[in-house]
Short mmCIF file of all heavy atoms in Angstrom, two decimals:
data_model
loop_
_atom_site.label_atom_id
_atom_site.label_comp_id
_atom_site.label_asym_id
_atom_site.label_seq_id
_atom_site.Cartn_x
_atom_site.Cartn_y
_atom_site.Cartn_z
N PRO A 1 3.97 0.99 39.80
CA PRO A 1 3.17 0.95 38.58
C PRO A 1 3.15 -0.47 38.01
O PRO A 1 4.03 -1.27 38.30
CB PRO A 1 3.90 1.91 37.64
CG PRO A 1 5.28 2.01 38.18
CD PRO A 1 5.17 1.77 39.66
N PRO A 2 2.12 -0.78 37.22
CA PRO A 2 2.05 -2.14 36.66
C PRO A 2 3.27 -2.41 35.78
O PRO A 2 3.83 -1.50 35.17
CB PRO A 2 0.76 -2.13 35.84
CG PRO A 2 0.42 -0.71 35.64
CD PRO A 2 1.03 0.06 36.78
N TYR A 3 3.65 -3.65 35.74
CA TYR A 3 4.83 -4.02 34.98
C TYR A 3 4.57 -3.89 33.48
O TYR A 3 3.47 -4.15 33.02
CB TYR A 3 5.24 -5.46 35.30
CG TYR A 3 5.74 -5.61 36.70
CD1 TYR A 3 4.96 -6.20 37.67
CD2 TYR A 3 6.99 -5.14 37.06
CE1 TYR A 3 5.41 -6.33 38.97
CE2 TYR A 3 7.45 -5.27 38.34
CZ TYR A 3 6.67 -5.86 39.31
OH TYR A 3 7.12 -5.98 40.58
N PRO A 4 5.58 -3.46 32.72
CA PRO A 4 5.41 -3.36 31.26
C PRO A 4 5.27 -4.75 30.65
O PRO A 4 5.69 -5.74 31.25
CB PRO A 4 6.70 -2.69 30.79
CG PRO A 4 7.69 -3.00 31.85
CD PRO A 4 6.91 -3.10 33.15
N PRO A 5 4.69 -4.83 29.46
CA PRO A 5 4.57 -6.15 28.83
C PRO A 5 5.95 -6.76 28.59
O PRO A 5 6.94 -6.06 28.43
CB PRO A 5 3.84 -5.88 27.52
CG PRO A 5 4.00 -4.44 27.27
CD PRO A 5 4.18 -3.78 28.61
N THR A 6 5.99 -8.05 28.56
CA THR A 6 7.28 -8.71 28.36
C THR A 6 7.81 -8.42 26.98
O THR A 6 7.07 -8.01 26.07
CB THR A 6 7.13 -10.24 28.53
OG1 THR A 6 6.22 -10.71 27.52
CG2 THR A 6 6.60 -10.61 29.90
N GLU A 7 9.09 -8.63 26.81
CA GLU A 7 9.72 -8.35 25.53
C GLU A 7 9.11 -9.19 24.41
O GLU A 7 8.91 -8.72 23.30
CB GLU A 7 11.23 -8.63 25.60
CG GLU A 7 12.01 -7.55 26.27
CD GLU A 7 11.95 -6.23 25.51
OE1 GLU A 7 12.23 -6.23 24.30
OE2 GLU A 7 11.60 -5.23 26.13
N ASP A 8 8.81 -10.47 24.70
CA ASP A 8 8.25 -11.33 23.67
C ASP A 8 6.91 -10.80 23.17
O ASP A 8 6.65 -10.79 21.97
CB ASP A 8 8.06 -12.75 24.21
CG ASP A 8 9.39 -13.41 24.56
OD1 ASP A 8 10.41 -13.01 23.96
OD2 ASP A 8 9.40 -14.31 25.41
N LYS A 9 6.08 -10.34 24.09
CA LYS A 9 4.76 -9.83 23.71
C LYS A 9 4.91 -8.55 22.88
O LYS A 9 4.24 -8.38 21.86
CB LYS A 9 3.93 -9.55 24.96
CG LYS A 9 2.54 -9.09 24.67
CD LYS A 9 1.75 -8.88 25.94
CE LYS A 9 0.37 -8.35 25.64
NZ LYS A 9 -0.39 -8.06 26.84
N ARG A 10 5.82 -7.68 23.31
CA ARG A 10 6.04 -6.42 22.59
C ARG A 10 6.57 -6.68 21.18
O ARG A 10 6.12 -6.09 20.21
CB ARG A 10 7.03 -5.55 23.37
CG ARG A 10 7.15 -4.14 22.83
CD ARG A 10 8.03 -3.30 23.73
NE ARG A 10 9.41 -3.72 23.70
CZ ARG A 10 10.28 -3.32 22.78
NH1 ARG A 10 9.91 -2.51 21.81
NH2 ARG A 10 11.52 -3.73 22.80
N LEU A 11 7.51 -7.62 21.07
CA LEU A 11 8.05 -7.96 19.75
C LEU A 11 7.00 -8.59 18.86
O LEU A 11 6.95 -8.33 17.65
CB LEU A 11 9.25 -8.89 19.90
CG LEU A 11 10.51 -8.24 20.47
CD1 LEU A 11 11.57 -9.29 20.73
CD2 LEU A 11 11.04 -7.16 19.55
N ALA A 12 6.13 -9.42 19.44
CA ALA A 12 5.06 -10.04 18.66
C ALA A 12 4.11 -8.98 18.11
O ALA A 12 3.68 -9.06 16.95
CB ALA A 12 4.30 -11.04 19.52
N GLU A 13 3.78 -7.96 18.93
CA GLU A 13 2.92 -6.88 18.47
C GLU A 13 3.58 -6.08 17.35
O GLU A 13 2.94 -5.71 16.37
CB GLU A 13 2.58 -5.94 19.64
CG GLU A 13 1.62 -6.54 20.64
CD GLU A 13 1.43 -5.65 21.86
OE1 GLU A 13 2.04 -4.56 21.93
OE2 GLU A 13 0.67 -6.06 22.74
N MET A 14 4.88 -5.85 17.48
CA MET A 14 5.60 -5.11 16.44
C MET A 14 5.63 -5.90 15.14
O MET A 14 5.43 -5.34 14.05
CB MET A 14 7.02 -4.79 16.90
CG MET A 14 7.09 -3.71 17.95
SD MET A 14 8.75 -3.43 18.58
CE MET A 14 9.59 -2.86 17.13
N GLU A 15 5.87 -7.20 15.24
CA GLU A 15 5.91 -8.03 14.04
C GLU A 15 4.54 -8.10 13.37
O GLU A 15 4.44 -8.13 12.15
CB GLU A 15 6.40 -9.44 14.39
CG GLU A 15 7.87 -9.50 14.70
CD GLU A 15 8.31 -10.87 15.20
OE1 GLU A 15 7.48 -11.80 15.21
OE2 GLU A 15 9.48 -10.99 15.58
N GLN A 16 3.50 -8.12 14.19
CA GLN A 16 2.14 -8.18 13.65
C GLN A 16 1.82 -6.90 12.87
O GLN A 16 1.16 -6.95 11.84
CB GLN A 16 1.14 -8.36 14.79
CG GLN A 16 -0.29 -8.43 14.34
CD GLN A 16 -1.25 -8.55 15.53
OE1 GLN A 16 -0.82 -8.50 16.68
NE2 GLN A 16 -2.52 -8.70 15.24
N ASN A 17 2.30 -5.75 13.33
CA ASN A 17 2.00 -4.48 12.68
C ASN A 17 2.99 -4.10 11.59
O ASN A 17 2.80 -3.11 10.89
CB ASN A 17 1.95 -3.35 13.72
CG ASN A 17 0.72 -3.44 14.60
OD1 ASN A 17 -0.34 -3.88 14.15
ND2 ASN A 17 0.85 -3.06 15.84
N GLU A 18 4.06 -4.87 11.41
CA GLU A 18 5.09 -4.51 10.43
C GLU A 18 4.56 -4.42 9.00
O GLU A 18 4.89 -3.46 8.28
CB GLU A 18 6.28 -5.46 10.52
CG GLU A 18 7.44 -5.06 9.65
CD GLU A 18 7.94 -3.64 9.90
OE1 GLU A 18 7.87 -3.16 11.05
OE2 GLU A 18 8.39 -3.01 8.93
N PRO A 19 3.72 -5.35 8.53
CA PRO A 19 3.19 -5.17 7.15
C PRO A 19 2.39 -3.88 7.00
O PRO A 19 2.47 -3.22 5.95
CB PRO A 19 2.29 -6.40 6.96
CG PRO A 19 2.78 -7.41 7.94
CD PRO A 19 3.30 -6.62 9.10
N LYS A 20 1.66 -3.50 8.03
CA LYS A 20 0.90 -2.25 7.97
C LYS A 20 1.84 -1.06 7.92
O LYS A 20 1.63 -0.11 7.17
CB LYS A 20 -0.03 -2.14 9.18
CG LYS A 20 -1.09 -3.22 9.23
CD LYS A 20 -1.88 -3.13 10.52
CE LYS A 20 -2.85 -4.29 10.65
NZ LYS A 20 -3.58 -4.28 11.90
N ARG A 21 2.90 -1.11 8.73
CA ARG A 21 3.87 -0.02 8.74
C ARG A 21 4.55 0.12 7.38
O ARG A 21 4.76 1.23 6.88
CB ARG A 21 4.93 -0.25 9.84
CG ARG A 21 4.38 -0.17 11.24
CD ARG A 21 5.45 -0.44 12.28
NE ARG A 21 6.45 0.59 12.29
CZ ARG A 21 6.38 1.72 13.02
NH1 ARG A 21 5.33 1.93 13.79
NH2 ARG A 21 7.34 2.61 12.98
N ARG A 22 4.89 -1.01 6.77
CA ARG A 22 5.54 -1.00 5.46
C ARG A 22 4.60 -0.39 4.41
O ARG A 22 5.01 0.42 3.58
CB ARG A 22 5.92 -2.43 5.07
CG ARG A 22 7.08 -2.50 4.14
CD ARG A 22 7.58 -3.91 3.91
NE ARG A 22 8.03 -4.56 5.13
CZ ARG A 22 7.59 -5.73 5.57
NH1 ARG A 22 6.71 -6.41 4.90
NH2 ARG A 22 8.06 -6.25 6.69
N LEU A 23 3.31 -0.76 4.48
CA LEU A 23 2.31 -0.23 3.56
C LEU A 23 2.18 1.29 3.71
O LEU A 23 2.15 2.03 2.72
CB LEU A 23 0.97 -0.93 3.82
CG LEU A 23 -0.18 -0.63 2.89
CD1 LEU A 23 0.12 -1.14 1.49
CD2 LEU A 23 -1.46 -1.27 3.42
N ILE A 24 2.14 1.74 4.95
CA ILE A 24 2.02 3.19 5.21
C ILE A 24 3.27 3.92 4.73
O ILE A 24 3.17 5.00 4.12
CB ILE A 24 1.76 3.44 6.71
CG1 ILE A 24 0.38 2.90 7.11
CG2 ILE A 24 1.86 4.92 7.04
CD1 ILE A 24 0.14 2.85 8.61
N ARG A 25 4.45 3.35 4.97
CA ARG A 25 5.69 3.98 4.50
C ARG A 25 5.71 4.12 2.98
O ARG A 25 6.12 5.14 2.43
CB ARG A 25 6.91 3.18 4.98
CG ARG A 25 7.30 3.45 6.41
CD ARG A 25 8.68 2.91 6.72
NE ARG A 25 8.77 1.47 6.56
CZ ARG A 25 8.68 0.59 7.55
NH1 ARG A 25 8.49 1.00 8.78
NH2 ARG A 25 8.77 -0.69 7.31
N ASP A 26 5.24 3.07 2.30
CA ASP A 26 5.17 3.12 0.83
C ASP A 26 4.22 4.22 0.37
O ASP A 26 4.51 4.95 -0.58
CB ASP A 26 4.73 1.77 0.26
CG ASP A 26 5.78 0.67 0.43
OD1 ASP A 26 6.93 1.01 0.78
OD2 ASP A 26 5.43 -0.50 0.25
N ALA A 27 3.08 4.33 1.03
CA ALA A 27 2.09 5.36 0.66
C ALA A 27 2.66 6.75 0.91
O ALA A 27 2.48 7.66 0.08
CB ALA A 27 0.80 5.15 1.45
N LYS A 28 3.36 6.94 2.03
CA LYS A 28 3.98 8.25 2.32
C LYS A 28 5.02 8.60 1.25
O LYS A 28 5.08 9.74 0.79
CB LYS A 28 4.64 8.23 3.70
CG LYS A 28 3.68 8.30 4.86
CD LYS A 28 4.35 8.05 6.19
CE LYS A 28 5.08 9.24 6.71
NZ LYS A 28 5.56 9.04 8.11
N ALA A 29 5.82 7.60 0.88
CA ALA A 29 6.86 7.84 -0.12
C ALA A 29 6.25 8.21 -1.47
O ALA A 29 6.73 9.13 -2.15
CB ALA A 29 7.75 6.61 -0.26
N LEU A 30 5.19 7.51 -1.87
CA LEU A 30 4.54 7.81 -3.15
C LEU A 30 3.91 9.20 -3.13
O LEU A 30 4.00 9.94 -4.12
CB LEU A 30 3.49 6.74 -3.48
CG LEU A 30 2.79 6.88 -4.82
CD1 LEU A 30 3.80 6.86 -5.97
CD2 LEU A 30 1.75 5.80 -5.01
N ALA A 31 3.30 9.57 -2.01
CA ALA A 31 2.70 10.91 -1.91
C ALA A 31 3.79 11.98 -2.01
O ALA A 31 3.59 13.03 -2.63
CB ALA A 31 1.94 11.06 -0.60
N LYS A 32 4.94 11.71 -1.43
CA LYS A 32 6.05 12.67 -1.50
C LYS A 32 6.57 12.79 -2.93
O LYS A 32 6.85 13.89 -3.41
CB LYS A 32 7.17 12.23 -0.55
CG LYS A 32 8.28 13.24 -0.41
CD LYS A 32 9.27 12.80 0.65
CE LYS A 32 10.33 13.86 0.84
NZ LYS A 32 11.28 13.51 1.88
N ILE A 33 6.69 11.66 -3.62
CA ILE A 33 7.14 11.67 -5.02
C ILE A 33 6.15 12.43 -5.89
O ILE A 33 6.54 13.23 -6.75
CB ILE A 33 7.33 10.23 -5.53
CG1 ILE A 33 8.53 9.57 -4.84
CG2 ILE A 33 7.51 10.19 -7.05
CD1 ILE A 33 8.63 8.07 -5.07
N ARG A 34 4.86 12.19 -5.66
CA ARG A 34 3.83 12.88 -6.46
C ARG A 34 3.64 14.33 -6.03
O ARG A 34 2.94 15.09 -6.69
CB ARG A 34 2.49 12.14 -6.30
CG ARG A 34 2.49 10.78 -7.00
CD ARG A 34 1.13 10.11 -6.89
NE ARG A 34 0.11 10.94 -7.52
CZ ARG A 34 -1.17 10.97 -7.13
NH1 ARG A 34 -1.58 10.21 -6.13
NH2 ARG A 34 -2.03 11.73 -7.74
N LYS A 35 4.20 14.71 -4.89
CA LYS A 35 4.11 16.07 -4.34
C LYS A 35 2.65 16.48 -4.11
O LYS A 35 2.20 17.54 -4.55
CB LYS A 35 4.81 17.08 -5.25
CG LYS A 35 6.29 16.82 -5.37
CD LYS A 35 6.95 17.81 -6.30
CE LYS A 35 8.43 17.48 -6.42
NZ LYS A 35 9.11 18.29 -7.38
N ILE A 36 1.93 15.59 -3.40
CA ILE A 36 0.54 15.92 -3.05
C ILE A 36 0.43 16.04 -1.53
O ILE A 36 1.22 15.47 -0.78
CB ILE A 36 -0.46 14.87 -3.58
CG1 ILE A 36 -0.21 13.49 -2.95
CG2 ILE A 36 -0.44 14.80 -5.09
CD1 ILE A 36 -1.28 12.47 -3.25
N SER A 37 -0.58 16.79 -1.11
CA SER A 37 -0.79 16.99 0.33
C SER A 37 -1.55 15.81 0.93
O SER A 37 -2.12 14.97 0.21
CB SER A 37 -1.59 18.27 0.56
OG SER A 37 -2.90 18.12 0.01
#
């Protein structure tokens, strides 16, 4: 099978998406606090 992406590339992708992940986590937490679906 084709080789997986290198660690550097994978880490770069994770770092690039981290602000989005943080934003989504905050939104999930607020929805849970407000008890909305």
Side-chain angles (χ1 to χ4, degrees):
Y3 293 105
T6 62
E7 281 297 309
D8 295 335
K9 183 178 177 184
R10 189 174 69 84
L11 289 173
E13 288 174 0
M14 287 176 64
E15 287 173 5
Q16 180 183 4
N17 288 327
E18 186 55 33
K20 296 174 186 178
R21 293 178 67 88
R22 207 172 300 126
L23 186 66
I24 293 168
R25 280 194 298 262
D26 291 347
K28 285 171 80 171
L30 183 59
K32 188 174 183 178
I33 291 168
R34 290 183 61 210
K35 297 179 182 175
I36 62 171
S37 65

